[in-house]
Amino acid sequence: MTNSLFEQRFSRRTLLRSGLLLGAGLTLGSAAGCATPTGTPGPRTVSLALNRSLVSLDNKLNQFDAALTVQRGVRQALTEIDRNLRPQLVLADRFELVSPTQWFVHLRPGIRYSDGTPVQVRDIATALQMYSQVDGSFVGGFFPEWPTVEQIDDTSFTLNTERPVPVLDYLMSNILVTPAAANLPEELQSGVGTGPYVVTESDRGTGNYTLERNENYWGAPAQIESVRVRFVPDESNRVVTLRSGEVDVIDSITPDAADQLAGLSGVSIDRIDGVRLNQLFFNFRKPQGHPLADARVRRALTYAIDGHALADQVLQGSATPSRGVIPLTLDGAVETGEYTYDPARARGELDALGVRDLELKIIWETGEFAADTDIMESVLQMLSAVGVRTTLQQFEPGGDISQWRQGKAGDWDVLGNGFPSPTGLALTIMQGMYAGTAEKEATRDTYHGYIFPEITRIITRASEEADAARRGELLADAQRQIWDTCPCLWSFVPKAVLARRSRIDGVGLRPTNSYDLSVAALHA
C-alpha cells in the first residue's frame, strides 16, 4: 500500500513533487530579480558573491556573517576574534583588565585612517555612543552595559563600567571605529576606516561595492589589489557564476551546491563548525490567553517537527539539530535537551490543552539560512499533519521584516532567524537573545519579546563574574531554565560552508562564517 504524503518521510524531492502546498495555506513572496556579476575578474581582482545584501559598511544594525568579511576589510575594532575564537589585538596593542570595573587600553602607534588622519581616543568614545544610541541595535544586545571612555593621553584611555564586565575584550571586537566627526547613530554606507581596503564604489540598493587596496594602511598591505562585492540571492546563479569564473567566492551554500561544485577543477570547498544558531523562534509578544503564551503549547508544537529528517534530507548533513538553546561549539554552552519527533503526542497534548483549529504564521527573510524555503515548506507540512494550519510569509532582503520583528508592522507567530555569536562565547549570545527586560522591550530591543526576569538576573550575574568556573555554572543554570521556557519550535547549528576558485588562497574560513581579506592572496 502506498502511504499518503504526510505519512512519507519528508524530503525536498517529496515536497517538490507535491502539489499540496497551496492547499495547506502557503503564501510565498516572489524572489526579486537581481543581476549577476558580469565579466571575469582581472588577475589582481577578486569577486565575492554574497547571499545577503550588504546594506551597510558598519554593523550597528546588521551583522550577517559573510558581511563581516567586507565590513572589517574597511573598518576595524580594538580587537578581533580569531579562527580559534580568541580575542586578538588590532587597533590596540594593550587591552588589560586593571580592576574589576576598569580596562586599560593603549592604541597601536601609527594607526591611521585611509585619508591619512590618525585614530584618536575620542573616535572610540564616539563609536560607543553611536552604537548605544541607534534604535534596534544588533550589537547593543551583547553588552550588559555600555562602557565609558576616560582619556589618559593622546593614545591611552580606560574603559570604565559600573559593574564588572570580564569579557569586554571580546565584546569590543564588535565596535568598528570611524572618525568621530563622521560617525552617526545609524548604518554607515560610506566614510573612511582603518582597514586594508577603501570603498571606491557603492550601491546600497543593489548590494554592489568595489574595494581598492588602502595605500595608507598602517599594517601589512593587502595582497589583493581590488575586491568586487555583489549581491546574488539566487543560489543557482551564484553556482553558475563561480563555475564560469565570474566570481571567486560564494558563501553560505547548501549541500546540493557543494555537491555540484565538489571535485570540479579549480574549485575548493571550505567547511568549519559554525557558531550561529538558526531557529524557528516563537513570538513572545503574544497576550495572556493566546495559545503561544503557554509554554506547554509551545512544547507540544515541537513534537510535530521531524528535526532529524530536516537535518538529514533537507540540509543533507550540513547542520546539526540543537541539543540546547545555543550552539554547543560556544565556550560555556551545555546540553539541555533534544527536540523529539512525536506527532501523535503533539496532537494529543494540544487536544488536552484545549487547543484546536490553531493557525500559525511563519515569517523569514530570504537567505536567512541555507535551504530556508525548503525548510519552511517542510515545517508547514509537518504542522499540517497534526492539524495546525500554517501560512508562510517570505520577505525579500532589504524589505521591512525588521519592522515586523519588532512588532511594529504586522503580527506573526514564528520567525525563521539566525543569531550569530561573533565572540565565540555562550555569554554573548545569551545576553543578546535571552536577557530581555521591560526597559529593552519599551524600545523593542528585546529578542522578540523574550522576557524572563529570573533568567535575565542569572545571565547578568554571569556577565559580571570574573571567576570563569563560577561564570560557567551560572550560564549552565540559565540555559536549563531557558530550555524549560521552550523558546523555539526547532533550531539547528549549521556548518559554515563556502566555495571558492582555487586561484584565491589563504581565506582561512572562521566559525563566524567570515575571513580576513587582508591575508588572502591570488595565484597567477
Side-chain angles (χ1 to χ4, degrees):
M1 182 178 73
T2 301
N3 293 330
S4 70
L5 174 66
F6 297 126
E7 292 170 332
Q8 297 174 27
R9 297 285 289 175
F10 294 98
S11 71
R12 280 189 293 173
R13 291 181 177 84
T14 300
L15 287 164
L16 293 173
R17 289 197 301 265
S18 166
L20 299 180
L21 293 176
L22 291 176
L26 171 64
T27 59
L28 287 176
S30 60
C34 180
T36 59
T38 57
T40 302
R44 297 183 178 88
T45 298
V46 65
S47 184
L48 317 178
L50 306 185
N51 79 320
R52 298 293 293 270
S53 179
L54 181 64
V55 298
S56 170
L57 290 170
D58 72 7
N59 63 335
K60 292 189 185 76
L61 296 177
N62 296 290
Q63 189 155 291
F64 295 131
D65 293 358
L68 282 174
T69 299
V70 182
Q71 290 169 339
R72 293 175 188 268
V74 177
R75 286 183 169 85
Q76 297 173 307
L78 295 173
T79 63
E80 71 172 355
I81 305 302
D82 66 13
R83 202 166 188 261
N84 298 313
L85 300 177
R86 293 292 182 266
Q88 301 296 328
L89 297 173
V90 182
L91 299 183
D93 62 3
R94 289 180 63 187
F95 199 115
E96 301 166 0
L97 183 64
V98 294
S99 78
T101 59
Q102 188 173 76
W103 293 74
F104 172 80
V105 182
H106 182 264
L107 295 176
R108 190 180 298 276
I111 53 172
R112 293 181 175 274
Y113 294 107
S114 58
D115 63 1
T117 59
V119 175
Q120 302 180 58
V121 172
R122 70 187 183 100
D123 298 340
I124 314 300
T126 299
L128 283 165
Q129 292 171 5
M130 297 302 101
Y131 275 83
S132 68
Q133 292 174 14
V134 70
D135 185 25
S137 170
F138 166 79
V139 171
F142 296 150
F143 284 78
E145 66 172 281
W146 289 103
T148 58
V149 172
E150 183 177 348
Q151 184 165 349
I152 299 173
D153 55 36
D154 288 347
T155 57
S156 303
F157 59 95
T158 59
L159 290 170
N160 306 317
T161 54
E162 294 292 327
R163 297 183 175 89
V165 184
V167 296
L168 193 57
D169 51 344
Y170 284 84
L171 295 177
M172 288 301 291
S173 68
N174 292 285
I175 305 299
L176 303 184
V177 179
T178 202
N183 213 339
L184 296 169
E186 61 188 45
E187 293 180 316
L188 302 177
Q189 279 82 55
S190 60
V192 301
T194 61
Y197 288 94
V198 297
V199 180
T200 56
E201 296 180 42
S202 64
D203 186 336
R204 182 185 185 187
T206 62
N208 296 343
Y209 296 80
T210 299
L211 313 182
E212 300 291 342
R213 185 163 59 196
N214 177 7
E215 301 302 337
N216 292 322
Y217 185 49
W218 56 268
Q223 299 186 58
I224 297 172
E225 289 187 9
S226 178
V227 179
R228 295 192 316 192
V229 182
R230 299 291 183 264
F231 169 45
V232 185
D234 183 76
E235 184 175 76
S236 61
N237 285 343
R238 286 186 287 134
V239 169
V240 168
T241 55
L242 184 79
R243 294 185 65 156
S244 68
E246 291 180 28
V247 301
D248 295 294
V249 182
I250 60 175
D251 70 286
S252 305
I253 60 174
T254 63
D256 278 349
D259 289 346
Q260 291 179 48
L261 296 168
L264 288 181
S265 176
V267 174
S268 298
I269 307 293
D270 295 344
R271 295 180 174 88
I272 193 169
D273 289 335
V275 292
R276 184 179 182 87
L277 181 70
N278 287 345
Q279 82 274 174
L280 302 179
F281 202 86
F282 287 112
N283 186 350
F284 280 82
R285 296 191 175 103
K286 297 297 183 180
Q288 272 315 107
H290 190 283
L292 291 187
D294 188 337
R296 297 172 299 172
V297 174
R298 298 195 297 269
R299 183 69 67 189
L301 289 170
T302 68
Y303 298 126
I305 308 304
D306 189 348
H308 289 287
L310 292 173
D312 294 342
Q313 298 178 30
V314 178
L315 295 168
Q316 299 182 337
S318 66
T320 303
S322 296
R323 300 195 306 277
V325 296
I326 56 175
L328 296 181
T329 49
L330 298 177
D331 185 4
V334 297
E335 186 172 335
T336 57
E338 290 188 80
Y339 290 95
T340 302
Y341 177 52
D342 190 340
R345 182 176 179 179
R347 188 63 262 169
E349 292 196 4
L350 290 173
D351 287 341
L353 292 166
V355 178
R356 296 177 179 83
D357 301 321
L358 182 62
E359 296 186 13
L360 298 180
K361 183 172 188 174
I362 302 178
I363 67 171
W364 81 101
E365 185 175 85
T366 301
E368 186 64 49
F369 38 75
D372 49 8
T373 302
D374 295 329
I375 289 173
M376 299 307 185
E377 291 172 350
S378 299
V379 167
L380 179 147
Q381 291 196 27
M382 292 171 182
L383 290 170
S384 297
V386 299
V388 176
R389 182 176 175 84
T390 306
T391 300
L392 305 182
Q393 183 166 349
Q394 184 174 8
F395 291 78
E396 293 307 318
D400 60 352
I401 192 172
S402 62
Q403 295 294 307
W404 285 69
R405 287 159 54 115
Q406 293 180 7
K408 297 177 180 179
D411 192 25
W412 52 274
D413 300 295
V414 177
L415 171 72
N417 197 39
F419 201 100
S421 181
T423 64
L425 298 174
L427 176 61
T428 304
I429 193 170
M430 292 173 69
Q431 186 78 46
M433 292 183 66
Y434 304 118
T437 64
E439 293 75 18
K440 288 182 179 179
E441 179 59 16
T443 57
R444 286 299 197 259
D445 284 326
T446 66
Y447 195 65
H448 314 306
Y450 189 92
I451 305 174
F452 289 85
E454 175 61 17
I455 291 171
T456 299
R457 185 184 67 81
I458 297 172
I459 295 173
T460 300
R461 286 178 57 197
S463 72
E464 300 172 1
E465 179 57 62
D467 181 77
R470 177 55 182 154
R471 185 164 64 244
E473 293 172 359
L474 290 167
L475 292 176
D477 184 18
Q479 288 169 68
R480 286 187 283 268
Q481 291 196 37
I482 293 166
W483 178 262
D484 290 341
T485 68
C486 193
C488 301
L489 178 64
W490 185 60
S491 66
F492 61 99
V493 180
K495 292 182 181 293
V497 184
L498 64 76
R500 59 182 171 86
R501 303 292 302 180
S502 300
R503 78 185 196 109
I504 181 173
D505 202 5
V507 167
L509 182 62
R510 299 175 180 179
T512 51
N513 196 22
S514 63
Y515 50 93
D516 186 353
L517 268 178
S518 69
V519 299
L522 286 173
H523 298 298

